[in-house]
């Protein structure tokens, strides 16, 4: 018998949504830095049969922690909305430059994860917005421990930038689904379903985004 992902109820919710970006159901996964967005996006992508994941850490840069909307719209959103392949170049946080171009074909579902995935400029394109319910202090502490002391200066600047961003442009009030990581896996509450579900367990600290 084929194994069914514990996230299947959430997968069914997503696949039942009408596309909001041309033929694509764009699903945003937002939350504080270190809240587990990348890990959850990977688990959800696998449950969706290998859906692509766009990491906003690949769109942002040292100089543009949150000023990346125009680039994302031109390189990714507008082409996909027209049913065309998106061509974009991920940012290299070590080399501090944008790398080789990648191609993203339009498909049934695209997950976009990162701080700001639910910002007001992106919400018109989203079929569903998920928010990781990890408290800010816990998220930031996890992120600092993950990245080590050599990135402490970066984190100092990041925390100020994230506070300013969410103060001006909060995402959580607009989330359709709240996701919590528990000792047994994931639990979520969706406005559409009005009920909680459970998912697979992962080890805390597996997430490795730059922001």
């Amino acid at each position: 018998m084929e194994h069914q992902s514990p996230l299947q109820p959430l997968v069914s919710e997503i696949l039942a949504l009408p596309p909001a970006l041309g033929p694509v159901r764009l699903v945003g996964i937002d939350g504080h830095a270190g809240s587990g967005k990348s890990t959850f996006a990977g688990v959800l992508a696998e449950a969706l049969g290998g859906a692509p994941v766009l990491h906003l850490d690949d769109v942002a840069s040292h100089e543009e922690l949150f000023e990346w909307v125009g680039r994302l719209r031109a390189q990714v959103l507008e082409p996909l909305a027209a049913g065309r392949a998106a061509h974009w170049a991920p940012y290299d946080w070590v080399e501090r430059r944008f790398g080789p171009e990648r191609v993203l074909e339009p498909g049934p579902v695209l997950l976009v994860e990162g701080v700001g995935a639910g910002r007001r400029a992106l919400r018109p394109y989203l079929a569903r917005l998920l928010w990781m319910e990890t408290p800010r202090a816990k998220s930031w502490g996890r992120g600092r421990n993950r990245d080590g002391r050599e990135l402490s200066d970066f984190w100092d600047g990041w925390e100020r930038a994230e506070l300013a961003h969410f103060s001006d442009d909060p995402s959580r009030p607009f989330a359709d689904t709240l996701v919590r990581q528990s000792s047994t896996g994931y639990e979520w509450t969706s406005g559409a379903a009005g009920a909680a579900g459970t998912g697979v367990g992962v080890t805390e600290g597996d997430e490795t985004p730059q922001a």
Side-chain angles (χ1 to χ4, degrees):
M1 180 180 297
E2 183 178 352
H3 174 71
Q4 187 179 69
S5 169
L7 289 178
Q8 191 55 47
L10 182 58
V11 167
S12 297
E13 286 183 31
I14 292 172
L15 294 178
L17 297 169
L21 183 67
V24 181
R25 296 168 182 83
L26 185 66
V27 176
I29 303 175
D30 206 338
H32 298 293
S35 61
K37 299 178 298 300
S38 291
T39 299
F40 179 71
V43 175
L44 182 57
E46 182 178 359
L48 283 160
V53 180
L54 178 65
H55 303 282
L56 289 178
D57 286 334
D58 291 340
V59 179
S61 69
H62 283 91
E63 291 74 28
E64 297 174 313
L65 293 178
F66 289 101
E67 295 76 27
W68 39 256
V69 172
R71 181 164 56 251
L72 180 66
R73 183 181 289 119
Q75 295 182 353
V76 178
L77 301 181
E78 291 178 354
L80 292 181
R84 305 192 310 270
H87 296 260
W88 63 287
Y91 184 71
D92 188 320
W93 288 85
V94 176
E95 298 293 331
R96 303 178 75 99
R97 59 180 175 81
F98 289 95
E101 184 180 88
R102 296 182 184 177
V103 179
L104 182 62
E105 298 288 345
V109 179
L110 169 62
L111 305 180
V112 56
E113 72 83 17
V115 180
R119 64 194 305 171
R120 66 174 67 94
L122 299 190
R123 288 197 292 271
Y125 304 100
L126 296 178
R128 174 66 61 91
L129 174 59
L130 285 64
W131 174 268
M132 301 300 295
E133 278 282 85
T134 307
R136 184 177 67 202
K138 181 178 180 180
S139 297
W140 285 357
R142 180 193 294 174
R144 282 183 177 271
N145 289 336
R146 177 194 65 210
D147 291 344
R149 296 179 62 181
E150 62 272 14
L151 289 180
S152 61
D153 289 344
F154 173 83
W155 269 94
D156 289 344
W158 171 264
E159 289 179 4
R160 291 191 295 270
E162 184 182 304
L163 279 173
H165 167 72
F166 280 135
S167 176
D168 175 67
D169 193 354
S171 297
R172 188 184 183 280
F174 301 94
D176 305 292
T177 301
L178 303 179
V179 181
R180 298 174 179 85
Q181 187 173 348
S182 69
S183 59
T184 57
Y186 291 106
E187 299 176 351
W188 66 90
T189 303
S190 296
T198 58
V200 274
V202 295
T203 302
E204 286 197 12
D206 284 349
E207 187 195 14
T208 55
Q210 295 291 337

